[in-house]
Amino acid sequence: MTNPHHIVFANEKGGTGKSTTAVHTAVALAAAGHRVGALDLDNRQRTTTRYLENRAATVRRLGTELPQPVFEVLEELSEEALAAAIERLSGQCEVLVIDTPGRDDPVARAAILRADTLVTPMNDSFVDLDLIGQVHPENFKITKPSFYAELIWQSRTKRAKSAGKSVDWVVLRNRLQHIGSHNQQRVGAAMDELARRVGFRVIPGLGERVIYRELFPKGLTLLDLKQLGEVGLSHIAARQELREMIAGLGIPGAEQAQAA
């Protein structure tokens, strides 16, 4: 078994674009020439699995080649099954992307303990920020970290003790509006303050664009411009967002993905 770099996407809230960013990350790294695996821990919604299945179907339908990770869904939700799935995929990849469900369960926590890079996508709102930090209702300053930040802190501490490796925790500001607002600035300031206290990095994720939802049925990403047909300026801007997100994650080989 090889020892791939584990990128774990985790957030207990749903609707944060977690699976979308996980798939785009996996495909971008595959496009850069890496052997990539993807493990979907949500055996009910299976968003990552369905996305990559749609991609495989597009390859067959068009008779073309597209960069594609190897992937599977964890059917049995147990820590033993998780370990076995990771071992199977590790023999085929050098980067393993793990997409956890939008809920707290023992398997998701076990996956977090394996993270080299832990990615928490988050919508740009105080509602989502409340997951990791509480803010004062008048001055919008952080009053204290929330339960999820404490959970991640404990997981990172366990990981450091057991593996002797630090975990790079990255918070993605997903679905940013393209026109700035006072609320966006306040959320950003609060997130930066919490980052200093808790110890994570904040980077921009994917903007609020219809194109991300339209790509799902074909399993395409913004790196597949030849298959997208007519490409407008919004597609080019969105692809640049993706490149900047991949580079910001700081994953080994990400600079190659930006140039792919």
Side-chain angles (χ1 to χ4, degrees):
M1 185 179 88
T2 60
N3 187 25
H5 185 92
H6 295 95
I7 310 167
V8 179
F9 285 78
N11 188 329
E12 290 183 15
K13 281 185 176 291
T16 61
K18 178 169 54 61
S19 295
T20 299
T21 50
V23 169
H24 275 71
T25 298
V27 171
L29 292 172
H34 292 281
R35 292 180 297 115
V36 181
L39 179 59
D40 189 349
L41 303 191
D42 193 339
N43 62 2
R44 294 180 62 186
Q45 294 191 24
R46 299 172 179 248
T47 305
T48 291
T49 301
R50 290 289 301 121
Y51 205 125
L52 293 174
E53 286 175 343
N54 292 345
R55 186 173 181 84
T58 294
V59 168
R60 292 192 298 269
R61 185 175 64 254
L62 299 180
T64 186
E65 291 187 4
L66 293 174
Q68 173 80 319
V70 295
F71 64 94
E72 67 175 86
V73 62
L74 191 69
E75 297 288 0
E76 178 191 337
L77 297 181
S78 69
E79 294 185 33
E80 293 77 13
L82 172 66
I86 289 176
E87 183 172 358
R88 283 193 301 274
L89 289 169
S90 294
Q92 306 174 64
C93 65
E94 56 190 359
V95 179
L96 179 57
V97 175
I98 303 176
D99 185 16
T100 66
R103 62 178 184 270
D104 180 29
D105 64 35
V107 176
R109 293 193 182 201
I112 290 172
L113 282 174
R114 293 175 175 268
D116 297 302
T117 301
L118 177 64
V119 185
T120 302
M122 188 168 295
N123 291 336
D124 208 51
S125 73
F126 283 113
V127 174
D128 280 52
L129 179 61
D130 190 66
L131 179 76
I132 57 174
Q134 299 177 16
V135 299
H136 192 278
E138 295 180 355
N139 61 21
F140 303 103
K141 297 289 187 180
I142 294 293
T143 57
K144 66 175 183 178
S146 295
F147 71 96
Y148 192 71
E150 295 174 357
L151 169 65
I152 298 302
W153 177 267
Q154 294 169 5
S155 297
R156 294 169 76 191
T157 302
K158 289 180 182 178
R159 166 79 172 179
K161 289 181 178 178
S162 63
K165 298 171 64 176
S166 61
V167 179
D168 184 19
W169 185 16
V170 181
V171 173
L172 282 181
R173 292 182 69 184
N174 255 353
R175 294 179 173 166
L176 284 166
Q177 298 296 324
H178 306 300
I179 300 176
S181 66
H182 289 302
N183 182 72
Q184 184 172 313
Q185 294 172 4
R186 288 168 179 162
V187 172
M191 199 171 289
D192 289 341
E193 178 187 347
L194 185 60
R196 291 190 293 270
R197 292 177 58 174
V198 177
F200 57 79
R201 297 189 294 116
V202 182
I203 67 171
L206 304 180
E208 182 59 60
R209 298 180 186 273
V210 176
I211 183 62
Y212 294 116
R213 294 186 286 275
E214 293 178 339
L215 291 172
F216 175 81
K218 294 182 179 180
L220 297 177
T221 73
L222 290 162
L223 297 176
D224 307 311
L225 291 185
K226 290 182 179 179
Q227 283 70 36
L228 291 178
E230 185 177 347
V231 176
L233 291 177
S234 62
H235 295 84
I236 302 300
R239 186 177 65 168
Q240 184 60 28
E241 286 177 356
L242 172 60
R243 287 175 167 175
E244 291 174 358
M245 182 192 79
I246 297 298
L249 288 176
I251 299 163
E255 69 282 354
Q256 298 174 28
Q258 190 172 15

